[in-house]
Amino acid sequence: TGIFLYVLFIQCIGIVSFIYSSYFVCKLISTIELRRKIYFTDVIGNLVTLLIPPIAVWIIHNKVKAIIENKINHKSKPDRSDI
């Protein structure tokens, strides 16, 4: 029973780590997209999406791609604040 409890403990740590890291990624994506203070209701959609990996790759990848393209487009335009 000792090894069983050890394995159960390690699995619980893994589950908690997965949930926290998923929450962090979803909160980061929502913060970049919305550009305001984020609440749990803003994150829950992405968090549920991450629980289903094929759908997560399909939806989250498009969001990250749009964020990256948006940043590239903003960097390529000249900054007019110094004129």
Side-chain angles (χ1 to χ4, degrees):
T1 61
I3 190 76
F4 175 74
L5 291 176
Y6 180 72
V7 170
L8 182 66
F9 178 71
I10 296 297
Q11 285 187 342
C12 288
I13 289 175
I15 291 169
V16 170
S17 300
F18 174 75
I19 291 171
Y20 183 76
S21 62
S22 299
Y23 174 73
F24 178 77
V25 168
C26 292
K27 188 173 179 179
L28 181 65
I29 290 172
S30 297
T31 302
I32 293 171
E33 282 181 338
L34 300 176
R35 296 180 187 177
R36 63 174 170 84
K37 185 177 179 185
I38 300 300
Y39 299 101
F40 185 71
T41 55
D42 300 325
V43 177
I44 193 71
N46 289 338
L47 196 57
V48 170
T49 303
L50 273 179
L51 295 178
I52 308 169
I55 295 174
V57 168
W58 183 36
I59 294 174
I60 301 291
H61 176 264
N62 289 334
K63 289 184 178 189
V64 171
K65 188 175 166 184
I67 290 170
I68 291 172
E69 286 176 357
N70 191 16
K71 286 215 178 249
I72 290 172
N73 289 340
H74 284 301
K75 284 187 177 181
S76 63
K77 294 178 182 176
D79 187 16
R80 303 279 181 192
S81 63
D82 59 348
I83 298 176

